Amino acid sequence: MSVKGKVVVITGASSGIGAATAKKLADHGARLFVGARHAQPLQDLVTTVQAAGGTIASQPVDVTQETSVKAFITAAHAHYGRLDVVYNNAGIMPNSPLSEGRVADWEAAFQVNVMGVLYGIAAALPIMKRQGFGQFIATDSNAGHVINPNAAVYAGTKFALRAIMDALRQEEGPHMIRSTMISPGNVTTNLWQSVGNTGLRQAVRQREAAIGLRPEDVANAVLYAIDQPEDVGIDEILLRPTVQQN
């Protein structure tokens, strides 16, 4: 098996892990359909990939809106005629102490990190079942394994995601539909910008700059998960900076 020729759909693709993964997969011959909220960074990615000889198309998508996600997945399928991989990558990390009561941030975290993934599954699963093959990938996190102070809600979304993705694996594996979680520790992305508490935001930014993985490191994990025979399911890849302890 090879990534070459596979149709891979990616949300949260305008920067960070999503953009790095799109470039990596395009370099290996995948056909990409990418989405994010902001149109210009998305178009910049398309231009970069096409200039390097890759195959890519795009459509803006808001993963907090079921209709937007469904339209995005439908457009990807219409463009290429199949869906090999749907990578639900979009996410936010509005960390803060629970005592601050940032209810709007908590709601946003579940809407993006959990419902955004579920919307992607709801839109793509019927197509994959008709095809008789497919793979769902989601960006989970080290926080789906380890709980730290000030990250209760973020960790809660990632623990929920582990439950959803493993249930998907058990339900749809018999139908040759694979389910994979990519769970990185600290990565040097813009995720720190979504941290709600100002002090925590700067601490996260400094930690990621000091020890974080590169987005390309995570993209390599995604590439590995996709580039396996159809009868091999990679349930989860947990990767951290060597020096990260929790």
Side-chain angles (χ1 to χ4, degrees):
M1 293 301 299
S2 171
V3 170
K4 186 175 181 180
K6 286 188 174 181
V7 174
V8 183
V9 179
I10 306 175
T11 66
S14 60
S15 64
I17 292 169
T21 300
K23 294 172 185 175
K24 176 73 66 175
L25 297 180
D27 287 344
H28 284 76
R31 296 177 288 169
L32 281 299
F33 197 91
V34 296
R37 287 178 301 164
H38 304 297
Q40 189 55 56
L42 201 58
Q43 184 55 51
D44 293 342
L45 173 64
V46 169
T47 300
T48 298
V49 170
Q50 288 178 337
T55 301
I56 188 169
S58 69
Q59 180 169 304
V61 61
D62 180 351
V63 301
T64 70
Q65 302 296 320
E66 181 184 6
T67 54
S68 180
V69 176
K70 185 172 183 178
F72 174 68
I73 295 294
T74 299
H77 184 249
H79 188 81
Y80 290 115
R82 60 187 285 160
L83 296 177
D84 291 281
V85 182
V86 172
Y87 181 15
N88 290 303
N89 168 67
I92 59 174
M93 188 176 69
N95 287 355
S96 63
L98 289 169
S99 61
E100 291 185 355
R102 295 175 179 261
V103 176
D105 284 355
W106 303 345
E107 292 174 341
F110 274 91
Q111 194 64 33
V112 174
N113 297 356
V114 179
M115 293 309 302
V117 173
L118 287 169
Y119 293 153
I121 293 170
L125 185 54
I127 296 171
M128 290 184 180
K129 293 192 78 162
R130 288 196 299 270
Q131 294 175 160
F133 61 87
Q135 183 176 15
F136 287 99
I137 302 177
T139 301
D140 195 63
S141 173
N142 174 72
H145 295 261
V146 179
I147 300 170
N148 289 304
N150 307 314
V153 173
Y154 179 64
T157 66
K158 297 305 184 178
F159 270 79
L161 189 54
R162 284 180 63 200
I164 291 164
M165 292 296 287
D166 195 57
L168 179 65
R169 176 188 66 82
Q170 295 180 55
E171 292 175 11
E172 299 302 335
H175 304 121
M176 297 306 294
I177 296 171
R178 299 184 292 172
S179 173
T180 303
M181 290 173 285
I182 306 296
S183 298
N186 290 119
V187 186
T188 53
T189 68
N190 293 329
L191 190 62
W192 63 270
Q193 294 177 352
S194 64
V195 174
N197 178 281
T198 303
L200 289 173
R201 186 184 311 135
Q202 292 308 312
V204 170
R205 184 181 187 183
Q206 291 169 6
R207 180 176 173 85
E208 290 181 353
I211 71 168
L213 300 169
R214 302 171 305 154
E216 292 78 11
D217 298 325
V218 184
N220 285 333
V222 178
L223 173 65
Y224 173 79
I226 296 173
D227 196 28
Q228 300 302 313
E230 296 298 323
D231 60 349
V232 176
I234 304 298
D235 299 347
E236 182 175 18
I237 300 176
L238 174 59
L239 63 159
R240 301 182 178 98
T242 303
V243 299
Q244 182 177 338
Q245 295 184 351
N246 56 28

